[in-house]
């Protein structure tokens, strides 16, 4: 029986990469594999709900403290000095190596192109490493174009979301076969009750890549009275400021946010 370790990007369920990989782990468990999950430490209440969700499929979660979990150039919050972040990266690689040994892991899978620690740890322990890539190398993720040689050299297999992303990355990595995967989310087949009010609902993290400003532009052009617009999910602070500014400048009413 093989044991697989996943390196997760956020340790939260507010993004598609985390949600889809949860169901992949569930399938792997059903197939008889042992699975563990390694994620960045955050806040106790977020860690608690995240750990409890994985406990439902019998997958233990190991949270690692960090200054920055993603590449130095990647989007996201940055803590400490450059030297402190370098030390934190080294600590995380050492901690992942220890887990690979103590948990007798056979394969490490990094669930985003935005992290490198797993690839280094797997190479140090002479273990196979797979990369799952969800992001197009554009806009805030354009930085990883400079990392593709490293990605190719430090992975036994590279997988990208099926479709245009696989095509684009294959062109950029001619020396490597880019395989495809389809993110999967398990849904129930229940029929929702008919509501008393019509609403427009957007589910997902507010980010530049998802471009909810385009939805707001379309909403602004609707004839009044407009149905309420509800955004469900957490947000990137800088992008949320732009969204709020658009709402104020266009005097939009009935726009609400539920958070993550």
């Amino acid at each position: 029986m093989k044991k697989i370790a996943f390196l997760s990007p956020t340790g939260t369920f507010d993004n598609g990469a985390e949600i889809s990989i949860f169901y992949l782990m569930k399938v792997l468990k059903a197939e008889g594999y042992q699975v563990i999950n390694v994620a960045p430490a955050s806040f106790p209440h977020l860690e608690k709900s995240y750990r409890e969700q994985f406990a439902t499929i019998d997958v233990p979660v190991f949270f690692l403290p960090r200054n920055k979990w993603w590449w130095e150039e990647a989007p996201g919050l940055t803590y400490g000095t450059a030297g402190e972040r370098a030390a934190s990266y080294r600590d995380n690689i050492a901690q992942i190596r220890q887990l690979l040994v103590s948990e007798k892991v056979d394969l490490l899978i990094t669930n985003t192109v935005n992290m490198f620690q797993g690839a280094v740890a797997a190479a140090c322990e002479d273990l196979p490493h797979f990369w799952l890539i969800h992001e197009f190398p554009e806009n805030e993720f354009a930085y990883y174009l400079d990392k593709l040689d490293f990605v190719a050299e430090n992975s036994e297999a590279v997988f990208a979301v099926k479709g245009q992303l696989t095509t684009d990355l294959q062109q950029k990595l001619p020396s490597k076969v880019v395989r495809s995967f389809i993110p999967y989310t398990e849904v129930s087949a229940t029929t929702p009750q008919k509501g008393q009010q019509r609403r427009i609902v957007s589910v997902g993290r507010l980010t530049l890549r998802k471009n909810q400003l385009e939805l707001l532009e379309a909403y602004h052009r609707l004839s009044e009275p407009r149905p309420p617009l509800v955004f469900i999910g957490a947000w990137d602070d800088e992008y949320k400021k732009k969204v709020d500014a658009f709402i104020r400048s266009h005097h939009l009413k009935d726009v609400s946010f539920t958070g993550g």
Side-chain angles (χ1 to χ4, degrees):
M1 180 185 296
K2 288 188 176 292
K3 193 166 191 178
I4 302 172
F6 283 85
L7 196 64
S8 291
T10 64
T12 58
F13 281 107
D14 60 3
N15 59 89
E18 288 274 11
I19 294 170
S20 66
I21 217 66
F22 171 84
Y23 291 104
L24 173 56
M25 293 189 208
K26 184 176 180 180
V27 170
L28 290 171
K29 288 288 295 185
E31 293 289 327
Y33 292 93
Q34 297 181 46
V35 181
I36 66 171
N37 186 16
V38 183
S42 55
F43 299 99
H45 68 286
L46 294 176
E47 291 179 13
K48 181 175 182 292
S49 61
Y50 187 81
R51 194 190 301 276
E52 288 174 346
Q53 183 70 13
F54 275 98
T56 65
I57 59 171
D58 191 30
V59 171
V61 180
F62 297 86
F63 289 105
L64 301 184
R66 87 290 188 221
N67 279 29
K68 184 160 185 176
W69 192 242
W70 289 11
W71 291 92
E72 181 76 2
E73 303 90 341
L77 297 175
T78 300
Y79 300 99
T81 65
E84 289 169 337
R85 291 192 297 276
S88 178
Y89 285 136
R90 288 194 295 270
D91 288 344
N92 288 154
I93 291 168
Q95 291 160 345
I96 294 167
R97 290 183 64 184
Q98 290 172 1
L99 281 172
L100 295 177
V101 173
S102 64
E103 295 295 319
K104 297 181 173 59
V105 170
D106 299 297
L107 167 67
L108 177 61
I109 300 176
T110 297
N111 183 31
T112 178
V113 73
N114 289 308
M115 302 174 303
F116 66 91
Q117 302 95 311
V120 176
C124 290
E125 298 303 325
D126 197 25
L127 289 175
H129 173 256
F130 290 178
W131 234 303
L132 305 184
I133 303 180
H134 302 256
E135 307 84 358
F136 279 86
E138 301 170 0
N139 301 316
E140 72 265 45
F141 296 118
Y143 83 93
Y144 87 74
L145 285 170
D146 292 335
K147 315 294 186 185
L148 286 177
D149 286 344
F150 179 90
V151 169
E153 292 169 5
N154 291 278
S155 55
E156 273 64 40
V158 175
F159 294 82
V161 174
K162 184 177 176 64
Q164 190 59 46
L165 180 57
T166 298
T167 302
D168 287 358
L169 289 180
Q170 187 62 81
Q171 292 173 350
K172 293 176 172 61
L173 284 172
S175 63
K176 191 85 171 181
V177 175
V178 179
R179 297 169 170 85
S180 292
F181 72 99
I182 300 175
Y184 167 74
T185 300
E186 199 172 89
V187 296
S188 61
T190 57
T191 301
Q193 295 181 350
K194 186 176 181 180
Q196 299 298 315
Q197 183 184 38
R198 291 188 176 183
R199 299 181 299 168
I200 300 173
V201 178
S202 173
V203 180
R205 188 178 184 90
L206 269 72
T207 67
L208 178 65
R209 176 67 187 173
K210 292 183 170 60
N211 194 17
Q212 286 89 351
L213 280 171
E214 187 172 332
L215 172 58
L216 280 169
E217 177 65 38
Y219 181 73
H220 167 61
R221 298 186 183 192
L222 290 177
S223 300
E224 295 196 50
R226 304 182 186 94
L229 173 59
V230 181
F231 289 98
I232 299 175
W235 53 74
D236 293 344
D237 289 339
E238 289 303 313
Y239 191 72
K240 177 65 159 50
K241 291 177 184 177
K242 294 179 181 180
V243 168
D244 290 339
F246 184 96
I247 292 170
R248 286 194 302 270
S249 65
H250 291 82
H251 308 289
L252 296 178
K253 300 178 181 179
D254 292 326
V255 179
S256 61
F257 303 87
T258 67

